Amino acid sequence: MQAVVTGATGFLGRRLVQSLCDDGCAVRCLVRPSSDLSALRRDLAPHWSRIDVRRVPLDNRDACRDELNRGDILFHLAAGLTGSASTLFLNTVIPTRALLSAAADAEVGRVVLVSSLGVYGTSQLGRGDTLTEETPLESQPQLRDPYTFSKVVQESVAAETREQRGLPLVVIRPGVIFGPGRGVLSSRVGLQLGNILVRMGGTQTLPYTYVDNCASAIRQAGFAQGIEGQALNVIDDDLPTAAQLLRRLARRKQKPRTVWVPGACIGPLSGLYEWYHRYSKGQVPGVITRYRSSALWKPLKYSNARAKQHLGWTPTISFHEAFERATSENGQNRR
Amino acid sequence: MQPLQQPLRIALIGCGQIADAHLQEIAKLRCARAVAVCDLHRDLAYQAGARFGIEAIYNDHRRMLQEVRPDIVHVTTPAHTHHRLAVELLQHGCHTYVEKPLALNAGEVGEIIAAANASGRMVCVGHDQLFDPAWLECRHRIDSGEIGAVRHVESVLGYPLSGQFGALASSDPGHWVRRLPGGLFHNTISHPLYRITELLPDAEPQIDARWFARNNADFPSDLRVELQGGAVTGSLLFDTAIEPQRITRVYGTQGCLTVDLDAQTVERRRAPKLPGAFGRLETPWRNWRQSARCLRRNVGRFLRSDLHYFAGMRGLIEAFCNAIQAGGPPPIAYTEMRRVTHLMDRIFAEMQPLGVQPVGVQPSGCRTALDSRPPTAVSTT
């Protein structure tokens, strides 16, 4: 069975290819013409001769079609992570539209789209509510950050292709992916301002997933039976709160300098910032709004029950072990 | 009392990164409002429309023109599409604002201006830094004779390739910007160049232009240009290894003004009046006072919410709208559009690899390192 992977040169993609190779799958990687293959080549050195790497402009439907065959399992991970909304749409939404159309043309066996846990309309949830696959998707994605906006639209493009073309689609929505080389701090903990971390609240549970656990879930999504049409949240067990994570980092003497914004102050301060952004006609960037703060830093619970049930998956690496690996000297330095 | 004029209706073609700046600045104007956006990729038009509250989104600009009938169209597409779109829009009866560079060569610019004259519509090129508050202050101080007669202009653009657009262009050999006649420079040197030509009266200065590739780039990445006019000279530095910066130094017979568009400061340097060692004290004292004055001014502007990166763009769009409504001259003179493009043509034609002795005009100076085929794909990003 042929596995086809986009985004194979990325942080998660390399682990997925590794996992597929370990399982003995034939893997074809579709990489953009501009992609740097050095990290993939380094990480996959033992398997390199068995990996078929094709440089393909992913926004070109015909070029993608040429690389796909009937029955292939397509893992679509390629996406932009940073930049303006237009850049992210160019790197995420437009390639997805072309690639999934090509996948439907080719009648692939399954498409696993790697989306994000950020696509949910969490600002509509109450404090302490549980976020599950039943939680409605973000209805006003343009009010969120550009990355979330692009991922919500990417999912809608995939859903549209599934409805119109019968694409055998499975959507995986990972939480924040961490691991060696990427560290454990994210915007879910706070905002990085130069060398200072503005810590937002602290009681919010961090919806994290260790890169190997996540890659394992994605691999399972390619092969598990009868899950077409499902969307599954992938997060680890025993998730820490932001405060607990920072305490762990402090014990390892890796905690950055922080300024604390208490949870009760996040809303009013965000509102104040948003007001000044508008009042000053954009003299400060509109990166913080009440809506975004509410979506990002509200204390919620997270469930991975459905992923466990449908994929037969469990996060085999505990958070404790994952944290150790991600923050060890070797892990920090590994890029 | 004159009747209040209706805001002009602006449509925008090309919803890439710079389109955000246009839509953001248009939203601040009373004289105009954005009514439609268009991109070949409907998804790109959608994201721009959704974020800026514009309901009319299109992926066919002709349909947009028919249905929306805008007064002005902003063209923020890749440079190689500017000429075709601008001529079409002007012939359709729309005033047209085109991002820099206006077109790929002086011949195309001539055709755009001819189309504007024939249609009775106005065209404007995005030389927005000429309307930046710091540049306007510098011009005012030069015009008031503060530094005497201008003798040399030094214009610096720091453009690290690690930036969003730079990274995209440098990592993709097929990127449209790499296939322009002047490569990356074609899309970037307008700004530092027109900050020189604004003060360089000569139509045909002598040019010495040298390029080189930094950090193993597989294309010309850095450029040095010397311009020599009758009384004024200029030097342009486009560098990918220095911090992002937009700095111009104007040297006159009685001092020098340094304009930093990012810091929004204008500072004067001049020879000390005091003799010997006292002069060594006078200069830092003057510099300290200058910096204190700049700080005071910027604090005041901050409190008035007047520190904006694209303030020049807002000023130029507003001036363009006012010119349209008043029937006045365009804010950027057509002669200046021709002159800047003509100088860019000459720079790209005459530039040589650094370290090679000039042997006269070599039209292939840039193209030896670039694919000289004209770009054909019309992507609007």
Side-chain angles (χ1 to χ4, degrees):
Chain A
M1 192 172 291
Q2 179 78 51
V4 182
V5 181
T6 71
T9 57
F11 180 63
L12 176 61
R14 298 199 301 271
R15 298 305 178 99
L16 175 64
V17 174
Q18 171 92 56
S19 173
L20 290 166
C21 287
D22 288 345
D23 280 356
C25 280
V27 182
R28 182 183 302 143
C29 301
L30 307 187
V31 303
R32 300 177 208 254
S34 57
S35 290
D36 178 4
L37 294 182
S38 55
L40 181 67
R41 191 187 287 267
R42 182 198 65 207
D43 288 3
L44 276 298
H47 303 289
W48 190 249
S49 59
R50 291 168 39 211
I51 299 172
D52 178 11
V53 178
R54 309 278 179 91
R55 289 197 179 271
V56 184
L58 296 179
D59 55 359
N60 183 323
R61 177 175 168 175
D62 292 338
C64 292
R65 174 69 190 83
D66 291 343
E67 304 298 341
L68 296 169
N69 296 309
R70 189 187 177 103
D72 283 351
I73 309 293
L74 171 62
F75 297 91
H76 179 34
L77 281 69
L81 295 177
T82 58
S84 64
S86 58
T87 304
L88 287 165
F89 268 64
L90 263 179
N91 290 331
T92 302
V93 178
I94 291 164
T96 297
R97 193 177 284 285
L99 180 72
L100 297 195
S101 292
D105 294 343
E107 298 180 1
V108 299
R110 179 169 293 174
V111 174
V112 179
L113 170 69
V114 177
S115 178
S116 164
L117 200 68
V119 299
Y120 290 108
T122 43
S123 56
Q124 308 305 319
L125 296 177
R127 291 168 67 90
D129 284 357
T130 302
L131 185 145
T132 69
E133 288 82 354
E134 304 303 324
T135 303
L137 295 188
E138 178 59 78
S139 59
Q140 301 188 80
Q142 74 279 8
L143 299 181
R144 297 278 296 275
D145 59 282
Y147 174 76
T148 303
F149 186 16
S150 68
K151 294 304 274 187
V152 171
V153 177
Q154 181 193 35
E155 273 209 33
S156 74
V157 166
E160 187 185 305
T161 314
R162 177 173 179 268
E163 279 168 25
Q164 293 174 356
R165 309 280 311 274
L167 194 73
L169 178 73
V170 177
V171 177
I172 295 294
R173 295 177 183 144
V176 177
I177 302 165
F178 73 105
R182 196 181 259 191
V184 295
L185 289 173
S186 72
S187 58
R188 297 274 181 170
V189 180
L191 298 172
Q192 195 76 43
L193 292 181
N195 292 327
I196 294 176
L197 177 74
V198 181
R199 176 186 148 199
M200 307 302 267
T203 58
Q204 70 274 28
T205 298
L206 301 176
Y208 277 23
T209 177
Y210 185 64
V211 62
D212 288 344
N213 291 336
C214 185
S216 153
I218 294 167
R219 183 197 59 208
Q220 293 291 93
F223 303 106
Q225 297 297 310
I227 59 168
E228 277 87 1
Q230 294 277 357
L232 303 166
N233 298 343
V234 170
I235 47 226
D236 289 354
D237 294 328
D238 306 321
L239 296 170
T241 64
Q244 288 166 345
L245 184 83
L246 287 170
R247 277 200 292 277
R248 276 176 178 269
L249 281 170
R251 283 200 289 275
R252 292 197 72 104
K253 300 192 186 324
Q254 290 182 13
K255 184 185 167 191
R257 288 168 60 199
T258 58
V259 173
W260 181 44
V261 177
C265 300
I266 293 174
L269 287 177
S270 301
L272 187 64
Y273 185 93
E274 184 178 0
W275 168 82
Y276 182 71
H277 165 74
R278 285 199 190 133
Y279 167 80
S280 67
K281 295 187 173 175
Q283 186 167 249
V284 295
V287 290
I288 301 174
T289 63
R290 252 184 186 275
Y291 196 77
R292 288 182 189 175
S293 298
S294 169
L296 203 54
W297 296 308
K298 184 186 294 173
L300 296 172
K301 295 177 189 137
Y302 300 92
S303 168
N304 58 9
R306 189 186 282 189
K308 286 178 171 176
Q309 180 195 342
H310 288 280
L311 300 179
W313 163 82
T314 50
T316 53
I317 299 165
S318 68
F319 184 79
H320 176 75
E321 172 63 19
F323 178 87
E324 292 297 315
R325 291 190 194 182
T327 55
S328 69
E329 197 173 323
N330 289 339
Q332 284 288 333
N333 293 333
R334 185 174 164 189
R335 295 282 164 190
Chain B
M1 182 184 288
Q2 284 192 334
L4 283 174
Q5 287 183 301
Q6 289 290 317
L8 294 167
R9 304 168 76 250
I10 298 181
L12 180 141
I13 302 176
C15 297
Q17 209 163 300
I18 195 62
D20 283 5
H22 284 249
L23 295 171
Q24 174 187 298
E25 297 309 317
I26 291 166
K28 297 173 185 171
L29 297 176
R30 287 186 180 176
C31 60
R33 64 189 174 95
V35 293
V37 288
C38 176
D39 196 289
L40 278 181
H41 294 296
R42 196 177 175 85
D43 292 316
L44 276 184
Y46 163 72
Q47 62 81 25
R51 288 184 302 121
F52 290 94
I54 300 164
E55 288 180 2
I57 59 169
Y58 293 87
N59 60 353
D60 176 346
H61 69 276
R62 294 191 180 103
R63 198 171 145 221
M64 177 181 78
L65 295 178
Q66 275 183 351
E67 293 182 5
V68 178
R69 300 190 173 280
D71 301 306
I72 305 173
V73 179
H74 282 224
V75 178
T76 53
T77 55
H80 59 275
T81 65
H82 288 178
H83 166 251
R84 177 178 60 76
L85 282 170
V87 169
E88 183 181 341
L89 292 166
L90 289 161
Q91 287 173 345
H92 193 271
C94 298
H95 301 285
T96 305
Y97 181 114
V98 186
E99 251 306 329
K100 56 82 195 165
L102 179 55
L104 293 190
N105 54 56
E108 288 187 356
V109 167
E111 289 174 22
I112 291 172
I113 292 170
N117 290 334
S119 64
R121 294 294 183 264
M122 222 177 273
V123 64
C124 183
V125 63
H127 291 183
D128 50 79
Q129 290 175 9
L130 297 179
F131 288 76
D132 186 282
W135 183 259
L136 291 173
E137 182 194 336
C138 174
R139 278 308 311 256
H140 173 73
R141 289 169 69 170
I142 292 168
D143 294 343
S144 68
E146 188 174 323
I147 58 168
V150 173
R151 287 291 176 256
H152 182 72
V153 186
E154 184 185 301
S155 189
V156 178
L157 177 62
Y159 193 89
L161 291 179
S162 54
Q164 263 188 47
F165 189 81
L168 207 61
S170 59
S171 65
D172 181 3
H175 193 277
W176 61 264
V177 85
R178 301 270 293 270
R179 294 184 288 140
L180 298 175
L184 177 65
F185 310 138
H186 213 130
N187 202 48
T188 48
I189 68 161
S190 301
H191 286 313
L193 182 61
Y194 65 68
R195 297 201 304 261
I196 296 174
T197 58
E198 172 93 333
L199 300 164
L200 184 82
D202 309 74
E204 295 287 349
Q206 287 186 47
I207 291 176
D208 180 22
R210 305 299 181 106
W211 63 265
F212 60 100
R214 259 192 209 277
N215 297 330
N216 300 321
D218 59 349
F219 60 96
S221 64
D222 290 59
L223 181 67
R224 310 282 186 263
V225 182
E226 298 294 331
L227 300 124
Q228 187 184 346
V232 181
T233 57
S235 65
L236 183 154
L237 184 148
F238 174 83
D239 199 301
T240 58
I242 61 176
E243 290 184 311
Q245 55 195 284
R246 304 173 296 161
I247 293 176
T248 305
R249 287 193 181 82
V250 185
Y251 296 85
T253 50
Q254 295 165 32
C256 160
L257 285 174
T258 301
V259 193
D260 184 334
L261 296 182
D262 294 315
Q264 287 291 294
T265 56
V266 184
E267 293 184 88
R268 185 182 174 193
R269 296 284 183 270
R270 68 175 195 195
K273 288 181 179 171
L274 298 176
F278 294 110
R280 313 289 189 273
L281 301 176
E282 182 194 347
T283 300
W285 165 249
R286 280 182 186 282
N287 293 350
W288 182 81
R289 289 188 60 195
Q290 293 253 2
S291 296
R293 196 175 301 139
C294 288
L295 175 63
R296 208 165 48 237
R297 185 171 303 166
N298 280 2
V299 167
R301 286 182 62 192
F302 181 84
L303 294 175
R304 293 194 304 275
S305 302
D306 186 32
L307 287 174
H308 297 270
Y309 187 86
F310 288 110
M313 182 184 287
R314 182 179 46 181
L316 177 54
I317 297 172
E318 192 167 23
F320 188 46
C321 292
N322 291 342
I324 290 166
Q325 287 177 327
I332 306 288
Y334 292 169
T335 50
E336 192 58 17
M337 294 181 191
R338 287 183 205 271
R339 192 164 76 108
V340 171
T341 314
H342 173 63
L343 286 177
M344 285 174 66
D345 288 350
R346 283 186 56 199
I347 288 169
F348 301 140
E350 296 174 27
M351 69 183 186
Q352 310 248 346
L354 194 68
V356 174
Q357 291 301 314
V359 289
V361 175
Q362 282 198 349
S364 61
C366 182
R367 292 184 174 90
T368 50
L370 296 168
D371 183 346
S372 61
R373 287 171 298 171
T376 49
V378 182
S379 164
T380 56
T381 55

